Amino acid sequence: MKRISISFPGVKALTDVDFRTTAGTAHALIGANGAGKSTLMKILSGAYNHYEGEIWMNGDKVDIRSPKEAKDLGIQIVYQEVDTALIPNLTVGENIMLDRTVHDMGKRQLIRWKELHQEAESILARMNIQVPSRKLVSELTLAEKQMVLIARAVSKQCRILVLDEPTAPLSHSETEQLFKLVIKLKQDGVGIIFISHRLPELYAICDDITIMRDGLLVKSDRITNIDQPKVVEYMLGSKMEQQFPHAKRDIGDVWFEVKNMQDPGKINDVNLHIRQGEIVGLAGLVGAGKTELCRAIFGASETSTGEITLKGKKLRIRSPYDAVSHGIALVPEERRRQGVFVDEPVSVNVTAAVLSRFSKWGTWLNFGKEKQAAREIIESLGVKTPNERARVKNLSGGNQQKVAIGKWLLVDADVYIFDEPTKGVDVGAKRDIFRLVAELAERGKCVLYASSELSEIVGITDRVYVMYDGRIAKELTTRTSNEEEILLYCTGGGLT
């Protein structure tokens, strides 16, 4: 890719970027949120057609202006937000074979369903993915959806495979399985472009690295020639500061309690409590039940039962509306589907939960006040956006996450639940989120911080509940524990 530039309304996303990769290698593409790496790959995969510059393959200049043209050249991309790329009311097999089915429908009107599922099952078996071909995608976990997307990408002749944050929703074992697949694809001569914010993963699997910042190419080299602190420095344009804030907080009495929380097949008899001003971690591997517990507390599950108490008062929570009314806020894991209105401006998103504050007589919206509040949130969280009118879908993943969090800051809740808040977020944005979480606790809020990133659990929390198979396996005091002990209980070790 030579001298690639592209602009969006109010944003120059890329400026004269060069990118080169080689067949049979894994190439890390890294940069802070908003650096332009996903935009560059969307150009390569045909999602954006109004770019300037040239694309060459095997010495031949090619014109890629649509996803079909990219796929015809053997370029496949697996996006970070899996729910926007899969059709939930179709089966796994139908999703895997979707491109071929649509293409074949131009030749014949009948689909041979038995053959379709047999071929899909063969692809899944070759990749060692334990998901039934006839199961609906809507019934899959986030990790299973990710693996189905990768299966679809490699089901056709693939010369270049772009993986955008592929390990974000995966457990350790699933990540290892993905890496085995990447190694096999490299051996088959496929070029892998690997976008990730998890530096240890990049050093484990990648041969080359390209670093971007603010829409520009900053550095490209063999990955063994650049150490991790230097990569962070290139990404941020300055040396990395202390990641986790260490402010001393006054932790009060127990404010928030959950007793006997149940959700059939998901969580079983969960009990936990949070003191005023305390950050409590909820640790566990993918599938342990962290997200399900967060949703149950927030009233987002119709099948959950249990007792929730705040400041000594028993709450009746049957819906998210009830939860918000009682001062409970949730920043969900799947931000694009559950956390933000992607087609609406930033201002609409950050004021959505408190519209009454900006309305007169409950009818007329005061746009001036709404705009001012949005600007304050943008400034305090460091959201990279041209203005408060920019649509959220045009922001990077990390900035979308900041908008999802900013919405709840205006609510001024008593309990803040964060479910994988740093997923797909760069090191600079992570630092901002950690600072925000610490500030909420300093203001006397109760914080429940759910994450499969054990370094974050150790770095930011006061106590931690470890989940395994839908239950609380262990309660630990963070300062007297470590990642190894937490991981032991995450994997079912130490249980009797």
Side-chain angles (χ1 to χ4, degrees):
M1 304 180 76
K2 299 181 179 180
R3 301 183 302 280
I4 301 294
S5 298
I6 192 170
S7 296
F8 298 96
V11 180
K12 183 68 179 290
L14 298 174
T15 304
D16 291 331
V17 173
D18 293 335
F19 178 81
R20 174 182 295 186
T21 194
T22 309
T25 66
H27 195 124
L29 181 59
I30 192 167
N33 288 107
K37 54 193 184 298
S38 292
T39 301
L40 186 67
M41 290 301 100
K42 285 180 179 179
I43 290 172
L44 179 63
S45 61
Y48 296 143
N49 60 13
H50 63 287
Y51 64 90
E52 299 173 358
E54 301 174 351
I55 301 176
W56 294 69
M57 290 186 67
N58 287 344
D60 298 321
K61 185 178 178 181
V62 296
D63 191 34
I64 301 176
R65 300 289 171 176
S66 71
K68 182 181 183 303
E69 289 171 343
K71 289 175 181 178
D72 288 345
L73 289 166
I75 300 169
Q76 298 282 345
I77 185 167
V78 176
Y79 289 110
Q80 177 184 347
E81 306 292 350
V82 297
D83 283 300
T84 63
L86 292 171
I87 301 175
N89 58 338
L90 294 184
T91 64
V92 168
E94 289 164 348
N95 271 277
I96 290 174
M97 306 302 293
L98 186 62
D99 290 342
R100 205 175 308 180
T101 303
V102 171
H103 177 73
D104 288 348
M105 283 300 289
K107 301 175 183 177
R108 62 171 186 264
Q109 297 302 311
L110 297 176
I111 298 175
R112 295 185 175 90
W113 296 106
K114 185 177 180 181
E115 292 180 10
L116 180 146
H117 285 290
Q118 284 177 342
E119 191 166 354
E121 286 168 358
S122 175
I123 293 167
L124 290 166
R126 191 166 70 243
M127 298 176 62
N128 196 28
I129 298 174
Q130 308 300 318
V131 180
S133 174
R134 295 182 183 272
K135 191 173 185 178
L136 287 177
V137 162
S138 59
E139 298 172 354
L140 301 182
T141 66
L142 198 59
E144 289 171 335
K145 292 175 185 177
Q146 180 72 282
M147 298 308 286
V148 169
L149 261 183
I150 295 171
R152 183 169 77 187
V154 301
S155 65
K156 295 179 68 178
Q157 184 61 36
C158 182
R159 297 167 68 189
I160 297 175
L161 177 63
V162 182
L163 300 175
D164 189 354
E165 291 288 347
T167 62
L170 303 184
S171 68
H172 292 290
S173 61
E174 289 163 335
T175 297
E176 289 176 3
Q177 182 183 336
L178 173 64
F179 284 1
K180 290 178 182 177
L181 175 62
V182 169
I183 291 169
K184 182 181 183 303
L185 291 171
K186 285 167 61 176
Q187 292 170 347
D188 293 340
V190 177
I192 311 291
I193 301 172
F194 205 97
I195 302 175
S196 178
H197 294 301
R198 296 176 172 180
L199 295 183
E201 291 181 356
L202 299 180
Y203 279 81
I205 199 69
C206 293
D207 307 289
D208 305 297
I209 186 169
T210 293
I211 307 167
M212 298 181 65
R213 185 174 72 243
D214 297 332
L216 300 169
L217 172 68
V218 176
K219 183 72 174 178
S220 192
D221 204 340
R222 299 291 290 179
I223 198 165
T224 52
N225 293 340
I226 311 176
D227 60 21
Q228 292 189 31
K230 196 66 178 177
V231 168
V232 172
E233 190 174 332
Y234 279 125
M235 286 173 60
L236 301 179
S238 60
K239 291 187 181 296
M240 183 66 181
E241 301 170 13
Q242 176 64 45
Q243 196 173 24
F244 299 106
H246 290 290
K248 192 171 182 180
R249 298 188 306 275
D250 293 324
I251 297 177
D253 297 328
V254 172
W255 259 25
F256 183 70
E257 288 186 273
V258 174
K259 296 180 180 178
N260 308 121
M261 185 63 73
Q262 306 261 3
D263 200 347
K266 299 175 183 176
I267 53 176
N268 189 9
D269 196 29
V270 170
N271 295 273
L272 62 83
H273 67 272
I274 308 175
R275 297 178 174 86
Q276 182 184 12
E278 187 180 31
I279 302 173
V280 171
L282 191 61
L285 303 180
V286 173
K290 303 187 303 299
T291 292
E292 291 76 10
L293 177 58
C294 292
R295 288 176 56 80
I297 294 172
F298 194 59
S301 172
E302 296 178 354
T303 55
S304 63
T305 58
E307 183 179 307
I308 297 175
T309 305
L310 179 60
K311 300 179 186 177
K313 178 184 177 184
K314 188 183 293 187
L315 307 181
R316 180 178 172 84
I317 297 177
R318 293 290 178 265
S319 68
Y321 177 85
D322 293 339
V324 175
S325 299
H326 288 300
I328 301 173
L330 168 66
V331 178
E333 177 183 14
E334 298 184 59
R335 55 177 171 259
R336 283 183 68 90
R337 194 160 66 92
Q338 301 171 344
V340 293
F341 302 115
V342 292
D343 291 315
E344 296 295 335
V346 173
S347 58
V348 169
N349 273 273
V350 297
T351 59
V354 286
L355 280 179
S356 59
R357 191 183 303 178
F358 305 102
S359 62
K360 195 173 184 180
W361 304 307
T363 305
W364 303 103
L365 197 61
N366 187 323
F367 292 106
K369 283 187 177 180
E370 182 187 50
K371 182 165 68 174
Q372 181 59 35
R375 285 178 174 175
E376 290 174 2
I377 292 294
I378 289 168
E379 184 177 353
S380 65
L381 294 185
V383 180
K384 282 191 176 181
T385 176
N387 51 56
E388 73 282 350
R389 299 186 303 278
R391 298 194 182 280
V392 169
K393 66 181 179 183
N394 293 328
L395 304 184
S396 67
N399 286 301
Q400 289 179 7
Q401 185 73 312
K402 288 182 181 181
V403 171
I405 294 171
K407 171 177 64 179
W408 295 115
L409 297 185
L410 288 175
V411 172
D412 194 31
D414 292 313
V415 180
Y416 286 85
I417 304 171
F418 293 88
D419 187 8
E420 300 286 357
T422 64
K423 188 179 85 173
V425 170
D426 70 75
V427 288
K430 281 183 181 180
R431 187 178 55 200
D432 293 338
I433 291 171
F434 298 147
R435 174 181 55 80
L436 170 66
V437 169
E439 287 176 356
L440 288 171
E442 287 171 25
R443 286 162 48 192
K445 309 299 183 183
C446 297
V447 177
L448 184 63
Y449 191 98
S451 179
S452 54
E453 298 287 346
L454 301 187
S455 60
E456 296 182 11
I457 293 289
V458 170
I460 195 72
T461 69
D462 301 298
R463 279 186 304 116
V464 55
Y465 291 99
V466 184
M467 290 198 72
Y468 175 76
D469 197 23
R471 298 173 178 267
I472 299 294
K474 191 71 173 177
E475 177 187 351
L476 299 166
T477 300
T478 310
R479 70 173 181 273
T480 60
S481 185
N482 54 45
E483 289 185 44
E484 288 75 19
E485 183 181 19
I486 295 172
L487 182 59
L488 174 68
Y489 290 108
C490 283
T491 54
L495 303 180
T496 56

